[in-house]
Amino acid sequence: AALPERQADREEEVKGPPQKSAYDASGAPTKALLGFLKKNGAEVTQVAVRDDYVWLRRTVPGLAAADVLQREIPRIVEGIRWPKMMRWGIGDYAYIRPLHSIVSVYGGRHLPLSIFGIASGTATRGHRILANEPVEIASYDDYVAKLRAAHVVVSADERIATMHERCSSLAAEIDGTPAADDSIWEQWSYLTEAPGIVRAEFNREFLSLPDEVLITVMRVHQKQLPIYVNGKLSNALLAVMDHDADPDGNAASGNAFVCNARFADAKFFYQTDRRHPLRSRLDMLEHLQFQEKLGSYREKTRRIVSVASAIHEKSGSRVDAANLAVAAEICKCDLVTEMVKEFTDLQGQIGGIYAREEGLPEDVWSAVYDHYKPSSVDGDVPRNESGA
């Protein structure tokens, strides 16, 4: 609504050739000046001399907004680069997803343009399951209203707000609260057009697994949100669906099924790993390359032990030197566990959990658990000097 119908006219000056080469001895225009005038579509009467150069001052008429949009929108969209591009058709074009149609409306009328060889129109489609029919669009407000009627919520912020409210409501039904996880909302908002949430439950037997394993499976692998009851992780979870209802319970049972399957795998890995202490895996690190010129993770471990010992000695830390040496020696051992091979996000944490379950001192297991921290500028730091 605030877009002007056309650009304002503007005055501009164009620098031409030097005066001495623009005119001959009799004051007549030379080929250099005539070429400059032709290039700029000007007459000799429009030029002036300043600072020993010829200058052309002219009025450039503003373009109509529609003309600018037709020229710039395809260039901008086709110039966007994504970390992962997709190709379609015979592979001539690449974008984040294949484009099927383009709605282009300006001033209540169709604004013809073409992007990736696709001609624009004035129709889109409703929700692919609930209202998969053409929808004619006359304006942006019309677009929002008609798509809402066709079960598509255009605003990502509105989709997130709807899912927030639904998550809190479903969790409250079992006296629980959804896990705090800011990262999942954006993922969910782009997995759905008709924002819906379902609550499901996995088998209680899997609560015997470490919370970190359960949470990683739910959040990272299944894009599900855990529910806490009385401050403890429950066997209930929340999942997004592209529908605002699950009358037959199919979405809930489907989420429970895949979650139970992943947890069954995790339980097998956990039981397999716990048959052997972390230290017994040191030799296996010889076969895991850290970096071509820096050798294996076993060699890296020796360096960590040496550096940790040197810093400990020079800093005057009160951390037990023997415990620190053990933590430094075993901190990379979980890289060759079955659990970390499958769930790489758990490296470090799994080592700390296994060390704790082996009965090693807190200085040891907490250092292993925390030794990747901080993982970002805003990340948590290790909880104590041993981990630092």
Side-chain angles (χ1 to χ4, degrees):
L3 188 67
E5 288 190 10
R6 63 182 307 106
Q7 297 171 325
D9 296 345
R10 73 179 193 278
E11 297 293 324
E12 73 172 10
E13 282 191 324
V14 183
K15 189 177 183 181
Q19 180 184 8
K20 60 184 179 181
S21 61
Y23 299 96
D24 61 18
S26 66
T30 64
K31 288 183 178 181
L33 178 55
L34 293 173
F36 170 69
L37 294 172
K38 182 178 180 180
K39 176 183 176 182
N40 288 279
E43 302 292 335
V44 70
T45 55
Q46 294 177 257
V47 301
V49 176
R50 188 176 77 244
D51 301 329
D52 297 326
Y53 278 87
V54 170
W55 291 84
L56 169 64
R57 185 174 182 83
R58 62 184 179 182
T59 300
V60 180
L63 296 174
D67 294 336
V68 177
L69 293 172
Q70 283 178 308
R71 181 189 68 198
E72 295 298 322
I73 289 176
R75 182 186 64 81
I76 291 170
V77 173
E78 292 178 0
I80 295 174
R81 293 292 174 265
W82 308 88
K84 293 183 179 179
M85 308 278 276
M86 293 182 68
R87 294 185 178 274
W88 64 94
I90 60 173
D92 287 343
Y93 307 115
Y95 200 58
I96 190 169
R97 289 289 186 272
L99 295 187
H100 298 287
S101 65
I102 302 162
V103 173
S104 175
V105 176
Y106 174 65
R109 296 188 301 273
H110 177 221
L111 180 69
L113 50 80
S114 175
I115 301 175
F116 296 129
I118 301 169
S120 67
T122 57
T124 184
R125 299 187 77 86
H127 190 280
R128 63 190 179 92
I129 302 299
L130 304 175
N132 192 9
E133 299 292 338
V135 179
E136 282 291 330
I137 304 300
S139 67
Y140 179 73
D141 290 341
D142 192 45
Y143 174 72
V144 173
K146 286 184 175 177
L147 281 184
R148 183 186 299 279
H151 301 280
V152 176
V153 178
V154 170
S155 167
D157 290 340
E158 185 180 342
R159 294 196 297 273
I160 289 172
T162 299
M163 291 186 289
H164 256 296
E165 182 179 347
R166 185 65 175 149
C167 281
S168 297
S169 175
L170 287 172
E173 290 178 359
I174 57 171
D175 298 323
T177 55
D181 184 0
D182 291 338
S183 68
I184 204 164
W185 299 109
E186 185 173 10
Q187 294 182 58
W188 276 7
S189 71
Y190 293 108
L191 289 174
T192 177
E193 292 182 321
I197 300 294
V198 64
R199 189 183 69 235
E201 294 184 356
F202 58 85
N203 294 342
R204 286 185 175 276
E205 66 177 276
F206 296 124
L207 288 174
S208 61
L209 290 168
D211 284 2
E212 291 89 342
V213 174
L214 300 175
I215 292 169
T216 295
V217 170
M218 284 186 276
R219 289 168 56 180
V220 178
H221 293 267
Q222 302 303 133
K223 296 181 176 61
Q224 298 162 332
L225 195 63
I227 294 178
Y228 287 86
V229 177
N230 296 325
K232 294 183 178 180
L233 192 66
S234 74
N235 71 316
L237 58 89
L238 298 162
V240 67
M241 59 179 182
D242 197 21
H243 200 305
D244 58 3
D246 183 29
D248 299 323
N250 292 330
S253 62
N255 273 276
F257 177 83
V258 295
C259 211
N260 282 325
R262 293 292 279 176
F263 286 155
D265 289 343
K267 186 175 182 179
F268 172 77
F269 299 142
Y270 177 76
Q271 292 173 338
T272 300
D273 289 340
R274 293 293 290 114
R275 293 173 188 158
H276 307 284
L278 282 171
R279 188 187 288 271
S280 70
R281 302 174 187 275
L282 275 170
D283 289 342
M284 297 172 67
L285 295 177
E286 295 279 8
H287 308 291
L288 186 63
Q289 187 181 62
F290 168 57
Q291 200 272 341
E292 184 179 0
K293 296 182 180 180
L294 296 175
S296 68
Y297 267 93
R298 184 70 181 96
E299 292 170 274
K300 178 180 175 68
T301 295
R302 295 188 182 100
R303 292 193 293 271
I304 292 174
V305 172
S306 176
V307 171
S309 175
I311 293 175
H312 176 267
E313 182 179 342
K314 293 181 181 297
S315 68
S317 169
R318 293 189 295 273
V319 173
D320 183 87
N323 284 346
L324 184 67
V326 172
E329 186 175 43
I330 66 173
C331 69
K332 298 299 180 184
C333 286
D334 69 354
L335 294 177
V336 289
T337 61
E338 298 303 314
M339 189 71 80
V340 172
K341 288 177 187 177
E342 181 69 16
F343 305 112
T344 57
D345 295 328
L346 289 173
Q347 56 189 281
Q349 295 180 48
I350 283 296
I353 291 168
Y354 288 173
R356 182 178 61 204
E357 293 182 354
E358 289 174 20
L360 295 176
E362 182 177 356
D363 266 0
V364 175
W365 71 256
S366 65
V368 175
Y369 192 107
D370 292 346
H371 83 277
Y372 283 100
K373 297 181 179 180
S375 58
S376 67
V377 173
D378 301 320
D380 295 333
V381 297
R383 73 194 77 184
N384 52 35
E385 282 191 36
S386 180

